[in-house]
Amino acid sequence: MAAGRAGPALAGLGRILAAENPRRIDAYVLRASVYAVDQQYAKGIELMQRAQSLAPDNPDVLSTLGSQLMLGHRESEGVPLLEKVGARWPDRYQAHQLLGLYYASHSEWARAERALSAFLKTRPRELEGEDPGVLIELGNATLRQGKPREAEAL
C-alpha cells in the first residue's frame, strides 16, 4: 500500500494510537496490517507488543502479534504464541492456518494435519477460496503420515 494513498487514514490511526486507548485495539490491529502489507514487520511487531501491554488477553492482539512475529521470521516467538491462541480460542482460524503451513514447511506432518484441519473447520465461508492450497498441504501432511486413503479423499 502506498503511503500517499493511505496518508489521511494513517494519520487518523496515528492519532488514535497516540492516545494508547485499550478500547481501540482495532486501530492497532489495522495499523499492524498496513505494516505487514508494506513488509515492515519489525514496526508491526513493536506496535502489537505495545497493544499487548494494553490488552494482554485480547485474542485479536495475540493472534496479530503472532502473525507479525511469523512474518518477521521470529518463529521461535510466533509459533508458541499462535499455539496458545489456537488452544485458548479454537475459532481463531488465522492461527491454525499459519501454524499448519509452518508445520508443513518443517515436515511436522501430524501437527500440520491437526492445524490445517482446524483451519478448514473454523474459517469463514468467505475464505473458501483459500481451501485448495490448504487442501494440498493437508493432503501432503496426511499422505506423509502413511494415510493414503485419507489423503486421496481430500
Side-chain angles (χ1 to χ4, degrees), residues 7 10 12 17 21 23 30 39 49 57 61 64 70-71 105 125 131 139-140 144 150 152-154:
L10 293 178
L17 296 175
N21 182 344
R23 288 177 283 184
L30 182 58
Q39 299 182 3
Q49 287 171 332
D57 291 322
V61 169
T64 303
M70 296 294 283
L71 291 168
S105 72
R125 181 170 229 125
D131 287 1
N140 185 38
R144 290 186 182 259
E150 288 179 37
E152 189 176 26
L154 294 169

Side-chain angles (χ1 to χ4, degrees), residues 80-109:
L81 184 55
L82 290 174
E83 287 172 340
K84 177 180 161 184
V85 168
R88 187 165 176 197
W89 297 284
D91 62 330
R92 303 307 288 199
Y93 62 91
Q94 308 96 323
H96 299 303
Q97 183 182 30
L98 278 172
L99 286 170
L101 296 174
Y102 171 81
Y103 295 143
S105 72
H106 288 79
S107 303
E108 296 182 43
W109 306 120

